[in-house]
């Protein structure tokens, strides 16, 4: 079960390939500067916790096996939800001034119960991963703690018979419970766009190798359904020889105006690049 188990805030710029990280909670990284920033650096008096302490310890157990043509598995994880929450604490002065608050980034403890399975049917391979996050907000009425949620990842992949054309399709999503009467600053308001209960992203990728696999054309994309935004990533690869490689790739990003989602904040970041590498 590949559900991310942590979230990490780092000062890095995703326009480069260099970003500091460590062994603690490094599953998710959010850029705080540069054109890939999500805007969190604009929060005044932001306090980020040190997650390299025993307070942020975690434990997990995963069992897998095969029954006939089915691969199955189960998982239990005790740790933290991957999404950070924000707890404002009033200091003094005008309560309507956001600068008069200390804002603490927090992570909610939770239990994750997961199952997984997969099987092949002819040239098609199907799989499903699903889990249930049990948080401390059982009633869903604490605005500072995330509500319980269902997470899921169904998918399939295949190679077109008689060709080398490969496709992969996945749906990554979650459903948050008790979102009917959320307050304005409830942390669960940010889990979806227009519908805080739902958050789904469709991922599609394809690859076509040719010229004795020396060349590859790749086309992948992601569609954030509730956010109504998308990203398309075309790529051409050429193994010129055993040591020299060329790749030409780009990113096309679009988000819906007025919808303050991740892709909308990145919609001016369309780019094109050429990369040549030599190994010796």
């Amino acid at each position: 079960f590949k559900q991310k188990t942590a979230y990490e805030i780092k000062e890095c710029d995703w326009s480069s390939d260099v970003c500091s990280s460590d062994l603690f909670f490094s599953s998710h990284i959010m850029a705080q500067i540069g054109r890939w920033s999500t805007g969190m650096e604009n929060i005044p008096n932001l306090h980020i916790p040190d997650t390299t302490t025993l307070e942020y310890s975690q434990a997990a157990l995963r069992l897998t096996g095969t029954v006939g043509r089915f691969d199955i598995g189960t998982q239990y994880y005790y740790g933290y939800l991957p999404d950070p929450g924000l707890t404002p604490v009033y200091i003094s002065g005008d309560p309507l001034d956001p600068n008069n608050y200390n804002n603490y980034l927090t992570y909610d403890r939770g239990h994750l119960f997961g199952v997984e399975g997969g099987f092949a049917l002819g040239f098609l391979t199907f799989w499903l991963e699903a889990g249930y996050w049990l948080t401390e907000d059982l009633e869903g009425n604490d605005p500072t703690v995330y509500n319980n949620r269902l997470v899921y990842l169904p998918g399939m992949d295949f190679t077109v018979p008689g060709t080398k054309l490969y496709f992969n399709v996945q749906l990554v999503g979650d459903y948050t419970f008790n979102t009917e009467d959320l307050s304005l600053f409830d942390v669960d308001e940010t889990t979806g766009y227009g519908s805080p209960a739902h958050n789904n992203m469709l991922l599609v990728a394809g690859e076509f190798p040719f010229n004795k696999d020396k060349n590859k054309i790749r086309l992948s994309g992601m569609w954030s359904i509730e956010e109504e935004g998308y990203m398309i990533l075309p790529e051409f690869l050429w193994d010129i020889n055993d040591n020299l490689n060329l790749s030409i790739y780009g990113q096309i990003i679009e988000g819906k105006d007025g919808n303050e989602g991740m892709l909308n904040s990145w919609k001016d970041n369309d780019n094109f690049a050429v990369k040549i590498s030599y190994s010796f």
Side-chain angles (χ1 to χ4, degrees), residues 254-268:
E254 186 57 56
K256 182 180 179 180
D257 291 337
N259 193 338
E260 298 303 323
M262 177 181 67
L263 295 175
N264 183 62
S265 66
W266 292 346
K267 66 180 181 179
D268 295 327

Side-chain angles (χ1 to χ4, degrees), residues 214-215 237-247 275-280:
K214 293 182 178 180
N215 300 98
L237 299 99
W238 182 16
D239 294 332
I240 300 174
N241 55 45
D242 292 340
N243 305 100
L244 187 62
N245 306 96
L246 168 71
S247 62
K275 181 178 179 180
I276 300 177
S277 59
Y278 183 81
S279 302
F280 57 90

Side-chain angles (χ1 to χ4, degrees), residues 24-247:
F24 298 89
F25 298 107
S26 59
S27 295
H28 293 185
I29 299 175
M30 292 174 58
Q32 288 249 280
I33 59 176
R35 63 195 182 110
W36 298 106
S37 168
T38 56
M40 187 166 287
E41 74 279 4
N42 297 322
I43 299 176
N45 306 320
L46 180 63
H47 299 267
I48 300 175
D50 178 11
T51 60
T52 63
T53 65
L54 289 177
E55 180 184 356
Y56 288 89
S57 59
Q58 55 189 350
L61 176 66
R62 182 170 181 256
L63 301 173
T64 60
T66 301
V67 178
R69 62 191 301 177
F70 295 91
D71 296 323
I72 58 175
T74 184
Q75 180 199 63
Y76 168 72
Y77 165 75
Y78 176 64
Y80 288 87
L81 268 71
D83 304 305
L86 194 67
T87 302
V89 177
Y90 176 65
I91 304 173
S92 63
D94 183 1
L96 298 180
D97 187 347
N99 294 296
N100 293 332
Y101 289 83
N102 280 320
N103 292 290
Y104 294 91
L105 203 68
T106 59
Y107 299 93
D108 297 334
R109 274 280 186 188
H111 304 264
L112 175 63
F113 305 90
V115 294
E116 61 180 286
F119 69 97
L121 182 62
F123 65 91
L124 302 172
T125 300
F126 298 90
W127 67 88
L128 170 66
E129 302 173 1
Y132 184 82
W133 274 107
L134 179 64
T135 73
E136 297 175 351
D137 189 12
L138 297 178
E139 302 298 327
N141 53 17
D142 187 340
T144 65
V145 179
Y146 283 101
N147 296 357
N148 296 342
R149 68 176 63 170
L150 176 69
V151 291
Y152 45 86
L153 194 164
M156 63 173 293
D157 63 2
F158 61 93
T159 299
V160 177
T163 75
K164 294 184 177 181
L165 184 59
Y166 170 80
F167 287 101
N168 184 300
V169 181
Q170 303 181 52
L171 177 68
V172 182
D174 59 67
Y175 177 83
T176 304
F177 297 91
N178 300 316
T179 60
E180 294 81 8
D181 299 304
L182 296 178
S183 62
L184 179 61
F185 298 105
D186 195 300
V187 291
D188 289 295
E189 276 285 358
T190 63
T191 61
Y193 304 92
S195 173
H198 298 275
N199 185 22
N200 295 281
M201 184 171 291
L202 181 66
L203 308 175
V204 181
E207 179 181 273
F208 178 61
F210 61 98
N211 191 22
K212 299 181 179 179
D213 294 341
K214 293 182 178 180
N215 300 98
K216 293 180 181 178
I217 296 176
R218 293 175 178 169
L219 182 63
S220 57
M222 52 188 287
W223 175 34
S224 183
I225 298 174
E226 286 77 20
E227 184 183 350
E228 299 184 56
Y230 62 85
M231 179 185 294
I232 301 174
L233 300 95
E235 184 176 10
F236 171 76
L237 299 99
W238 182 16
D239 294 332
I240 300 174
N241 55 45
D242 292 340
N243 305 100
L244 187 62
N245 306 96
L246 168 71
S247 62

